[in-house]
PDB file of all heavy atoms in Angstrom:
ATOM      1  N   THR V 738       2.015  -1.827 -13.061  1.00 93.00           N
ATOM      2  CA  THR V 738       0.844  -1.410 -13.806  1.00 93.00           C
ATOM      3  C   THR V 738      -0.240  -2.380 -13.640  1.00 93.00           C
ATOM      4  O   THR V 738      -1.451  -2.003 -13.396  1.00 93.00           O
ATOM      5  CB  THR V 738       1.184  -1.207 -15.275  1.00 93.00           C
ATOM      6  OG1 THR V 738       2.178  -0.203 -15.372  1.00 93.00           O
ATOM      7  CG2 THR V 738      -0.045  -0.768 -16.039  1.00 93.00           C
ATOM      8  N   GLN V 739       0.043  -3.646 -13.783  1.00 92.00           N
ATOM      9  CA  GLN V 739      -0.952  -4.702 -13.702  1.00 92.00           C
ATOM     10  C   GLN V 739      -1.601  -4.713 -12.239  1.00 92.00           C
ATOM     11  O   GLN V 739      -2.824  -4.801 -12.130  1.00 92.00           O
ATOM     12  CB  GLN V 739      -0.351  -6.121 -13.955  1.00 92.00           C
ATOM     13  CG  GLN V 739       0.085  -6.290 -15.346  1.00 92.00           C
ATOM     14  CD  GLN V 739       0.801  -7.579 -15.538  1.00 92.00           C
ATOM     15  OE1 GLN V 739       0.316  -8.665 -15.269  1.00 92.00           O
ATOM     16  NE2 GLN V 739       2.028  -7.533 -16.121  1.00 92.00           N
ATOM     17  N   LEU V 740      -0.802  -4.643 -11.212  1.00 92.00           N
ATOM     18  CA  LEU V 740      -1.262  -4.536  -9.837  1.00 92.00           C
ATOM     19  C   LEU V 740      -2.068  -3.327  -9.603  1.00 92.00           C
ATOM     20  O   LEU V 740      -2.964  -3.350  -8.671  1.00 92.00           O
ATOM     21  CB  LEU V 740      -0.127  -4.689  -8.869  1.00 92.00           C
ATOM     22  CG  LEU V 740       0.546  -6.041  -8.868  1.00 92.00           C
ATOM     23  CD1 LEU V 740       1.889  -5.900  -8.037  1.00 92.00           C
ATOM     24  CD2 LEU V 740      -0.264  -7.128  -8.234  1.00 92.00           C
ATOM     25  N   GLY V 741      -1.904  -2.280 -10.264  1.00 93.00           N
ATOM     26  CA  GLY V 741      -2.604  -1.003 -10.038  1.00 93.00           C
ATOM     27  C   GLY V 741      -3.918  -0.916 -10.614  1.00 93.00           C
ATOM     28  O   GLY V 741      -4.793  -0.026 -10.300  1.00 93.00           O
ATOM     29  N   ARG V 742      -4.207  -1.804 -11.611  1.00 92.00           N
ATOM     30  CA  ARG V 742      -5.509  -1.711 -12.315  1.00 92.00           C
ATOM     31  C   ARG V 742      -6.652  -1.897 -11.433  1.00 92.00           C
ATOM     32  O   ARG V 742      -6.689  -2.834 -10.612  1.00 92.00           O
ATOM     33  CB  ARG V 742      -5.561  -2.698 -13.523  1.00 92.00           C
ATOM     34  CG  ARG V 742      -4.614  -2.396 -14.651  1.00 92.00           C
ATOM     35  CD  ARG V 742      -4.851  -3.349 -15.785  1.00 92.00           C
ATOM     36  NE  ARG V 742      -3.743  -3.122 -16.792  1.00 92.00           N
ATOM     37  CZ  ARG V 742      -3.067  -4.115 -17.275  1.00 92.00           C
ATOM     38  NH1 ARG V 742      -3.144  -5.385 -16.913  1.00 92.00           N
ATOM     39  NH2 ARG V 742      -2.150  -3.821 -18.180  1.00 92.00           N
ATOM     40  N   GLY V 743      -7.689  -1.079 -11.684  1.00 92.00           N
ATOM     41  CA  GLY V 743      -8.976  -1.219 -10.941  1.00 92.00           C
ATOM     42  C   GLY V 743      -8.900  -0.699  -9.536  1.00 92.00           C
ATOM     43  O   GLY V 743      -9.923  -0.854  -8.791  1.00 92.00           O
ATOM     44  N   ARG V 744      -7.893  -0.094  -9.075  1.00 95.00           N
ATOM     45  CA  ARG V 744      -7.756   0.570  -7.792  1.00 95.00           C
ATOM     46  C   ARG V 744      -7.923   2.095  -7.795  1.00 95.00           C
ATOM     47  O   ARG V 744      -7.477   2.681  -8.753  1.00 95.00           O
ATOM     48  CB  ARG V 744      -6.434   0.252  -7.083  1.00 95.00           C
ATOM     49  CG  ARG V 744      -6.096  -1.236  -6.961  1.00 95.00           C
ATOM     50  CD  ARG V 744      -4.775  -1.346  -6.171  1.00 95.00           C
ATOM     51  NE  ARG V 744      -4.115  -2.584  -6.259  1.00 95.00           N
ATOM     52  CZ  ARG V 744      -3.966  -3.569  -5.385  1.00 95.00           C
ATOM     53  NH1 ARG V 744      -4.552  -3.342  -4.158  1.00 95.00           N
ATOM     54  NH2 ARG V 744      -3.284  -4.630  -5.528  1.00 95.00           N
ATOM     55  N   ARG V 745      -8.449   2.644  -6.760  1.00 97.00           N
ATOM     56  CA  ARG V 745      -8.408   4.069  -6.592  1.00 97.00           C
ATOM     57  C   ARG V 745      -7.180   4.301  -5.714  1.00 97.00           C
ATOM     58  O   ARG V 745      -7.140   3.932  -4.516  1.00 97.00           O
ATOM     59  CB  ARG V 745      -9.645   4.611  -5.927  1.00 97.00           C
ATOM     60  CG  ARG V 745     -10.909   4.716  -6.789  1.00 97.00           C
ATOM     61  CD  ARG V 745     -12.075   5.173  -6.101  1.00 97.00           C
ATOM     62  NE  ARG V 745     -12.604   4.171  -5.160  1.00 97.00           N
ATOM     63  CZ  ARG V 745     -13.498   4.447  -4.227  1.00 97.00           C
ATOM     64  NH1 ARG V 745     -13.959   5.649  -4.060  1.00 97.00           N
ATOM     65  NH2 ARG V 745     -13.881   3.434  -3.459  1.00 97.00           N
ATOM     66  N   THR V 746      -6.204   4.922  -6.278  1.00 98.00           N
ATOM     67  CA  THR V 746      -4.858   5.017  -5.605  1.00 98.00           C
ATOM     68  C   THR V 746      -4.504   6.478  -5.311  1.00 98.00           C
ATOM     69  O   THR V 746      -4.741   7.361  -6.093  1.00 98.00           O
ATOM     70  CB  THR V 746      -3.773   4.378  -6.451  1.00 98.00           C
ATOM     71  OG1 THR V 746      -4.051   3.001  -6.731  1.00 98.00           O
ATOM     72  CG2 THR V 746      -2.351   4.561  -5.862  1.00 98.00           C
ATOM     73  N   VAL V 747      -4.027   6.673  -4.057  1.00 98.00           N
ATOM     74  CA  VAL V 747      -3.443   7.871  -3.596  1.00 98.00           C
ATOM     75  C   VAL V 747      -1.986   7.795  -3.435  1.00 98.00           C
ATOM     76  O   VAL V 747      -1.485   6.853  -2.693  1.00 98.00           O
ATOM     77  CB  VAL V 747      -4.100   8.423  -2.273  1.00 98.00           C
ATOM     78  CG1 VAL V 747      -3.514   9.724  -1.873  1.00 98.00           C
ATOM     79  CG2 VAL V 747      -5.639   8.550  -2.401  1.00 98.00           C
ATOM     80  N   LEU V 748      -1.219   8.578  -4.143  1.00 98.00           N
ATOM     81  CA  LEU V 748       0.292   8.559  -3.941  1.00 98.00           C
ATOM     82  C   LEU V 748       0.585   9.751  -3.006  1.00 98.00           C
ATOM     83  O   LEU V 748       0.024  10.790  -3.097  1.00 98.00           O
ATOM     84  CB  LEU V 748       0.968   8.722  -5.306  1.00 98.00           C
ATOM     85  CG  LEU V 748       0.619   7.739  -6.375  1.00 98.00           C
ATOM     86  CD1 LEU V 748       1.405   8.026  -7.675  1.00 98.00           C
ATOM     87  CD2 LEU V 748       0.918   6.260  -5.863  1.00 98.00           C
ATOM     88  N   VAL V 749       1.632   9.499  -2.134  1.00 98.00           N
ATOM     89  CA  VAL V 749       2.079  10.513  -1.217  1.00 98.00           C
ATOM     90  C   VAL V 749       3.583  10.741  -1.387  1.00 98.00           C
ATOM     91  O   VAL V 749       4.292   9.755  -1.288  1.00 98.00           O
ATOM     92  CB  VAL V 749       1.802  10.062   0.271  1.00 98.00           C
ATOM     93  CG1 VAL V 749       2.208  11.136   1.218  1.00 98.00           C
ATOM     94  CG2 VAL V 749       0.267   9.827   0.423  1.00 98.00           C
ATOM     95  N   THR V 750       3.919  11.943  -1.652  1.00 97.00           N
ATOM     96  CA  THR V 750       5.375  12.181  -1.846  1.00 97.00           C
ATOM     97  C   THR V 750       5.752  13.537  -1.176  1.00 97.00           C
ATOM     98  O   THR V 750       4.913  14.334  -0.866  1.00 97.00           O
ATOM     99  CB  THR V 750       5.758  12.161  -3.293  1.00 97.00           C
ATOM    100  OG1 THR V 750       7.155  11.959  -3.458  1.00 97.00           O
ATOM    101  CG2 THR V 750       5.411  13.467  -3.998  1.00 97.00           C
ATOM    102  N   GLY V 751       7.109  13.691  -1.035  1.00 94.00           N
ATOM    103  CA  GLY V 751       7.640  14.965  -0.459  1.00 94.00           C
ATOM    104  C   GLY V 751       8.942  14.659   0.199  1.00 94.00           C
ATOM    105  O   GLY V 751       9.298  13.436   0.356  1.00 94.00           O
ATOM    106  N   THR V 752       9.669  15.654   0.638  1.00 89.00           N
ATOM    107  CA  THR V 752      10.981  15.370   1.363  1.00 89.00           C
ATOM    108  C   THR V 752      10.712  14.826   2.772  1.00 89.00           C
ATOM    109  O   THR V 752      11.366  13.920   3.239  1.00 89.00           O
ATOM    110  CB  THR V 752      11.751  16.702   1.442  1.00 89.00           C
ATOM    111  OG1 THR V 752      11.909  17.248   0.111  1.00 89.00           O
ATOM    112  CG2 THR V 752      13.162  16.445   1.965  1.00 89.00           C
ATOM    113  N   ASN V 753       9.741  15.417   3.455  1.00 90.00           N
ATOM    114  CA  ASN V 753       9.501  14.989   4.838  1.00 90.00           C
ATOM    115  C   ASN V 753       8.020  14.717   5.047  1.00 90.00           C
ATOM    116  O   ASN V 753       7.130  15.349   4.459  1.00 90.00           O
ATOM    117  CB  ASN V 753       9.920  16.140   5.804  1.00 90.00           C
ATOM    118  CG  ASN V 753      11.433  16.294   5.820  1.00 90.00           C
ATOM    119  OD1 ASN V 753      12.139  15.403   6.139  1.00 90.00           O
ATOM    120  ND2 ASN V 753      11.881  17.527   5.502  1.00 90.00           N
ATOM    121  N   GLY V 754       7.773  13.744   5.937  1.00 91.00           N
ATOM    122  CA  GLY V 754       6.334  13.435   6.337  1.00 91.00           C
ATOM    123  C   GLY V 754       5.691  12.393   5.508  1.00 91.00           C
ATOM    124  O   GLY V 754       4.454  12.086   5.639  1.00 91.00           O
ATOM    125  N   LYS V 755       6.418  11.761   4.543  1.00 93.00           N
ATOM    126  CA  LYS V 755       5.780  10.794   3.648  1.00 93.00           C
ATOM    127  C   LYS V 755       5.167   9.580   4.447  1.00 93.00           C
ATOM    128  O   LYS V 755       3.966   9.191   4.221  1.00 93.00           O
ATOM    129  CB  LYS V 755       6.767  10.264   2.636  1.00 93.00           C
ATOM    130  CG  LYS V 755       7.262  11.298   1.593  1.00 93.00           C
ATOM    131  CD  LYS V 755       8.097  10.602   0.526  1.00 93.00           C
ATOM    132  CE  LYS V 755       9.442  10.105   1.010  1.00 93.00           C
ATOM    133  NZ  LYS V 755      10.329  11.161   1.455  1.00 93.00           N
ATOM    134  N   SER V 756       5.906   9.027   5.280  1.00 93.00           N
ATOM    135  CA  SER V 756       5.423   7.807   6.016  1.00 93.00           C
ATOM    136  C   SER V 756       4.213   8.134   6.896  1.00 93.00           C
ATOM    137  O   SER V 756       3.262   7.423   6.956  1.00 93.00           O
ATOM    138  CB  SER V 756       6.499   7.121   6.794  1.00 93.00           C
ATOM    139  OG  SER V 756       7.565   6.696   5.986  1.00 93.00           O
ATOM    140  N   THR V 757       4.368   9.256   7.605  1.00 94.00           N
ATOM    141  CA  THR V 757       3.298   9.694   8.503  1.00 94.00           C
ATOM    142  C   THR V 757       2.002   9.924   7.764  1.00 94.00           C
ATOM    143  O   THR V 757       0.939   9.456   8.077  1.00 94.00           O
ATOM    144  CB  THR V 757       3.713  10.891   9.309  1.00 94.00           C
ATOM    145  OG1 THR V 757       4.834  10.583  10.068  1.00 94.00           O
ATOM    146  CG2 THR V 757       2.618  11.299  10.282  1.00 94.00           C
ATOM    147  N   THR V 758       2.126  10.759   6.710  1.00 96.00           N
ATOM    148  CA  THR V 758       0.950  11.110   5.894  1.00 96.00           C
ATOM    149  C   THR V 758       0.311   9.880   5.177  1.00 96.00           C
ATOM    150  O   THR V 758      -0.861   9.766   5.055  1.00 96.00           O
ATOM    151  CB  THR V 758       1.307  12.182   4.903  1.00 96.00           C
ATOM    152  OG1 THR V 758       1.928  13.265   5.549  1.00 96.00           O
ATOM    153  CG2 THR V 758       0.048  12.671   4.167  1.00 96.00           C
ATOM    154  N   THR V 759       1.178   8.998   4.711  1.00 97.00           N
ATOM    155  CA  THR V 759       0.647   7.766   4.096  1.00 97.00           C
ATOM    156  C   THR V 759      -0.149   6.894   5.083  1.00 97.00           C
ATOM    157  O   THR V 759      -1.163   6.442   4.764  1.00 97.00           O
ATOM    158  CB  THR V 759       1.815   6.943   3.504  1.00 97.00           C
ATOM    159  OG1 THR V 759       2.544   7.720   2.533  1.00 97.00           O
ATOM    160  CG2 THR V 759       1.268   5.662   2.831  1.00 97.00           C
TER     161      THR V 759
END
Side-chain angles (χ1 to χ4, degrees):
T738 299
Q739 295 176 51
L740 290 168
R742 287 187 189 131
R744 303 186 199 248
R745 284 178 291 167
T746 298
V747 177
L748 303 181
V749 180
T750 198
T752 307
N753 292 301
K755 293 187 291 293
S756 295
T757 301
T758 307
T759 301

